[in-house]
Amino acid sequence: MRAAYYAGKHAIEVGPCRPVDAGPGQVRIRVSHCGICGTDLHLYHGHMDHRVKLPQVIGHEMSGTIESVGVDSAGWREGDRVTVRPLDPCGSCPACLAGHGHVCMKLKVLGIDEPGAFQALWTVPAHTLHRIPDGLDLAHAALIEPVAVACHDVRLGELKAGEFAVVLGGGPIGALVASVAREAGARVLVSEINPFRVALLGRLGFDVVNPRESDLTAIVNERTGGAGADAVFEVSGSEPGAAIMADLLRVRGRVVLVAVFSKPVPVNLHRFFWRELRLIGTRVYEPEDFDEAIRLLASGAQPFTELITGVYSLDELQRGLQEMERGADVMKILVDCGS
Amino acid sequence: MRAAYYAGKHAIEVGPCRPVDAGPGQVRIRVSHCGICGTDLHLYHGHMDHRVKLPQVIGHEMSGTIESVGVDSAGWREGDRVTVRPLDPCGSCPACLAGHGHVCMKLKVLGIDEPGAFQALWTVPAHTLHRIPDGLDLAHAALIEPVAVACHDVRLGELKAGEFAVVLGGGPIGALVASVAREAGARVLVSEINPFRVALLGRLGFDVVNPRESDLTAIVNERTGGAGADAVFEVSGSEPGAAIMADLLRVRGRVVLVAVFSKPVPVNLHRFFWRELRLIGTRVYEPEDFDEAIRLLASGAQPFTELITGVYSLDELQRGLQEMERGADVMKILVDCGS
């Protein structure tokens, strides 16, 4: 079988790989599709080399079919269509003991701290599995993981029907957050600077503003009768996003922090004080977010699958990363791991 | 009668003042005591000149006795001992309509946007009044307003018994937050750099650390078994405080933002993401916070009054401001407005 390896900064190698037997409490999955995540791009840039063992198979947004089942994996059998919630918490740190294992203080993320899914056969702990419903296409099911991120963000942001939400950053996660927020009944405005993404989101029915061309704050105030937005999802990870996020909110509004900021950035804390705003940090997902993501994808309620702009072979993984890197006309790229 | 006026940057003038009759819905109060607030110092520095009409009587942390009652001020009569919740919301902005009048978008604060309490007779809307219980000394009752700030902060921070709270900044408000947090059953650690305040808080039984002399993060981790604090109250308004606040918290911990930051400062948003932290902006108080502050002060449960380090005459207001300005050995200074 074959796998795509991260082999060091800017280097992806595709080559043979020896399948790992499913041990106790494990299953081996024949991987169907695996999406390329922003985190994979971050890995590719060498920013997470302290967490990987080179060369390492990466990838964690996947779908597939169980190929073999180890002992002590009750409830699962060969042929089951599954996706993986790629988190392996320690179970004993203060975060785990408090019931927040998804942000375990020693969390192992499959595809980062452990081998990932850009390979034909992937062996994982059975406790990470979620079942894919019959009606959901396996390629589309590779979106479950990023949709679960969006479900987590909208849930922790306590977004309610009728509220006005601004999504700063209309890349794959921003687009999914906007979709889940719309499904929750919110009015959604997306702020995005990439023309391809602006156009794509516009075709999907979103109200999209390019903040380099329009006054975002003025537009939000206009849309909300001068009150400000109920919630802002900061998904851009940019200094301008961090600088403006608080200014867009109504009194007691919420910033839902989704993006990964690699260094401290200036934040208008005065506005948090003045309007009694809240900021809610969010990271990955909990099991219920996977359940909700599966339900939403299976329902077909939102055009999630329209965000897939390409399905590449394993050999084309590096091409996909390069396209994402240069801001090409792409949104979500999947890799067909069976190809 | 006499009043102390803010007459421009670094200028306080004490002179005669004509009492204002209590109009409809108003009462006139014979002011007993009025504390000097950090906001008064900010005014004195000229930073809020856009909000005042010179010369203007300032002051808003007061206690007194009703001297006369205007029409339509049902429920109040001459001789009632009262304090003033010095907020006058517009009643019609989106914040007021949503029930958040204390952070009204056109809020008038008595003592800033309207004349204040550093005078013998102060005329205010009756809707701002809270009754002072018989057993509570009028001088001590001048602490009700700042204690209400602390009650608001602890309430919005949802601090629970047994939690570990860090208070960054042990000035008057930090000391009151620490006291209210202790009363709520939390374990409290105060971070303060002023030696006089460190010593005073130590005498009052608080665990106090000077972060310039000790490693605050290491101490918090040690005190919490490596988990981190449940809540951090940022009361210092300093860049070092903003820089460290997130680093002190456990997974899903809360920063309660109390201080006024006059400009954007760097914040470690990565830590908010990584540990799913929350930041809760807080400003002034709501009526229930005044009720709770009165209850706490009357109960004598915490040594609030030990924070009073001086009671000055109206003529000494500027001296008090100068002492606060230079970081002298002071905590809370009251002005005896009847002197």
Side-chain angles (χ1 to χ4, degrees):
Chain A
M1 68 171 233
R2 299 171 77 236
Y5 297 88
Y6 167 65
K9 190 173 176 179
H10 295 164
I12 298 290
E13 289 170 6
V14 179
C17 177
R18 184 189 299 273
V20 177
D21 286 340
Q26 294 185 320
V27 301
R28 190 160 74 187
I29 304 169
R30 184 167 299 284
V31 180
S32 171
H33 290 77
C34 183
I36 311 179
C37 174
T39 300
D40 296 320
L41 185 61
H42 207 58
L43 278 160
Y44 176 71
H45 286 154
H47 297 318
M48 300 169 80
D49 280 357
H50 58 293
R51 290 178 62 181
V52 298
K53 298 171 208 68
L54 299 185
Q56 184 176 308
V57 184
I58 59 174
H60 60 272
E61 301 183 354
M62 59 72 69
S63 59
T65 306
I66 293 180
E67 186 257 1
S68 65
V69 176
V71 296
D72 300 332
S73 300
W76 300 104
R77 60 182 185 184
E78 199 184 314
D80 283 349
R81 289 151 38 97
V82 294
T83 186
V84 168
R85 181 166 35 82
L87 306 182
D88 202 7
C90 75
S92 59
C93 73
C96 283
L97 295 177
H100 308 307
H102 70 295
V103 283
C104 163
M105 293 166 76
K106 297 172 183 171
L107 186 67
K108 288 184 181 169
V109 180
L110 310 189
I112 300 175
D113 306 291
E114 300 286 343
F118 287 127
Q119 53 182 329
L121 291 169
W122 190 30
T123 304
V124 299
H127 72 74
T128 65
L129 299 177
H130 287 256
R131 201 173 297 274
I132 297 172
D134 287 343
L136 183 54
D137 184 89
L138 277 183
H140 296 169
L143 294 179
I144 291 170
E145 196 266 3
V147 172
V149 169
C151 289
H152 188 65
D153 301 336
V154 169
R155 180 168 65 85
L156 265 57
E158 297 179 17
L159 195 66
K160 289 177 278 294
E163 289 198 315
F164 189 92
V166 180
V167 179
L168 298 177
I173 293 292
L176 293 174
V177 167
S179 301
V180 174
R182 184 164 69 178
E183 183 65 17
R187 292 184 293 151
V188 178
L189 178 70
V190 181
S191 169
E192 172 57 44
I193 57 174
N194 174 313
F196 173 80
R197 292 175 171 181
V198 169
L200 172 55
L201 290 166
R203 284 198 302 278
L204 300 182
F206 288 103
D207 189 5
V208 192
V209 165
N210 183 334
R212 291 185 178 164
E213 294 171 357
S214 306
D215 182 339
L216 182 60
T217 310
I219 290 170
V220 170
N221 282 330
E222 183 190 296
R223 298 272 205 286
T224 58
D230 298 288
V232 168
F233 294 83
E234 179 8 69
V235 196
S236 75
S238 68
E239 283 211 29
I244 203 173
M245 61 190 187
D247 298 343
L248 302 174
L249 286 168
R250 66 160 168 85
V251 162
R252 292 256 174 120
R254 295 96 66 197
V255 172
V256 182
L257 181 71
V258 179
V260 184
F261 285 83
S262 57
K263 61 181 175 60
V265 290
V267 173
N268 182 358
L269 292 181
H270 189 277
R271 181 73 165 205
F272 277 90
F273 152 80
W274 193 252
R275 290 204 166 184
E276 291 201 330
L277 306 179
R278 302 197 168 202
L279 183 141
I280 301 162
T282 64
R283 182 176 160 212
V284 294
Y285 25 65
E286 293 170 270
E288 65 206 276
D289 301 311
F290 257 67
D291 294 340
E292 177 67 359
I294 291 167
R295 192 188 71 74
L296 287 180
L297 271 162
S299 77
Q302 292 289 330
F304 296 114
T305 58
E306 303 287 321
L307 301 172
I308 301 169
T309 53
V311 181
Y312 295 176
S313 70
L314 261 188
D315 294 296
E316 293 171 308
L317 172 58
Q318 184 149 9
R319 171 187 156 198
L321 287 163
Q322 288 167 341
E323 287 174 350
M324 289 164 66
E325 182 176 41
R326 70 166 188 270
D329 292 353
V330 296
M331 187 65 92
K332 174 54 72 181
I333 301 172
L334 303 185
V335 171
D336 181 345
C337 297
S339 61
Chain B
M1 69 170 231
R2 301 170 75 236
Y5 296 88
Y6 167 66
K9 189 174 176 178
H10 295 164
I12 298 291
E13 289 170 6
V14 179
C17 176
R18 182 189 300 273
V20 177
D21 286 340
Q26 294 185 320
V27 301
R28 190 160 75 187
I29 303 169
R30 184 167 298 284
V31 180
S32 171
H33 290 77
C34 184
I36 310 180
C37 175
T39 300
D40 297 320
L41 185 61
H42 206 58
L43 278 159
Y44 176 70
H45 286 154
H47 297 319
M48 299 170 80
D49 281 357
H50 58 291
R51 289 177 64 180
V52 298
K53 298 171 208 68
L54 300 184
Q56 184 175 308
V57 184
I58 61 174
H60 59 272
E61 300 183 355
M62 59 72 70
S63 59
T65 307
I66 293 180
E67 185 257 2
S68 65
V69 177
V71 297
D72 299 332
S73 299
W76 300 102
R77 60 182 183 182
E78 198 183 316
D80 283 350
R81 289 152 37 96
V82 292
T83 187
V84 168
R85 182 166 33 83
L87 306 181
D88 202 7
C90 76
S92 59
C93 73
C96 283
L97 295 177
H100 308 308
H102 70 295
V103 282
C104 163
M105 292 165 77
K106 296 172 183 171
L107 186 67
K108 287 184 181 169
V109 179
L110 310 188
I112 301 175
D113 306 291
E114 300 285 343
F118 287 128
Q119 54 182 331
L121 291 170
W122 190 30
T123 304
V124 299
H127 72 74
T128 65
L129 299 178
H130 287 257
R131 200 172 298 274
I132 297 173
D134 286 343
L136 183 55
D137 183 89
L138 277 184
H140 296 169
L143 294 179
I144 292 170
E145 196 266 6
V147 172
V149 169
C151 290
H152 188 65
D153 301 336
V154 169
R155 180 167 66 84
L156 266 58
E158 297 179 18
L159 195 66
K160 288 176 280 293
E163 288 198 316
F164 190 92
V166 179
V167 179
L168 298 177
I173 292 294
L176 294 174
V177 167
S179 301
V180 173
R182 184 164 69 177
E183 184 65 17
R187 291 184 293 151
V188 179
L189 177 70
V190 182
S191 170
E192 172 57 44
I193 57 174
N194 175 312
F196 173 80
R197 291 175 171 180
V198 169
L200 173 54
L201 290 165
R203 284 198 302 279
L204 299 182
F206 287 103
D207 189 6
V208 193
V209 165
N210 182 333
R212 290 185 179 164
E213 294 171 357
S214 307
D215 182 338
L216 182 60
T217 310
I219 290 170
V220 170
N221 283 330
E222 182 190 295
R223 298 271 207 286
T224 58
D230 298 287
V232 167
F233 294 83
E234 178 13 67
V235 196
S236 74
S238 68
E239 283 211 29
I244 203 173
M245 61 190 187
D247 298 342
L248 302 175
L249 286 168
R250 67 161 167 84
V251 162
R252 291 256 175 120
R254 297 94 67 196
V255 172
V256 182
L257 181 72
V258 179
V260 184
F261 284 83
S262 56
K263 61 181 174 59
V265 290
V267 173
N268 183 359
L269 292 181
H270 188 277
R271 181 73 164 204
F272 277 90
F273 152 78
W274 192 252
R275 289 203 168 184
E276 290 200 332
L277 306 180
R278 301 196 168 202
L279 184 142
I280 302 162
T282 63
R283 183 176 160 212
V284 294
Y285 25 64
E286 293 169 270
E288 66 207 275
D289 301 311
F290 257 67
D291 293 340
E292 176 68 359
I294 292 167
R295 191 187 71 75
L296 286 181
L297 271 162
S299 77
Q302 291 290 330
F304 296 115
T305 58
E306 303 287 322
L307 301 172
I308 301 169
T309 52
V311 182
Y312 296 176
S313 70
L314 261 189
D315 293 297
E316 294 171 308
L317 171 58
Q318 184 149 9
R319 171 188 155 197
L321 288 163
Q322 288 167 341
E323 288 173 349
M324 290 164 64
E325 183 176 40
R326 70 167 188 269
D329 292 352
V330 297
M331 186 65 92
K332 174 53 73 180
I333 301 171
L334 303 184
V335 171
D336 180 346
C337 297
S339 60

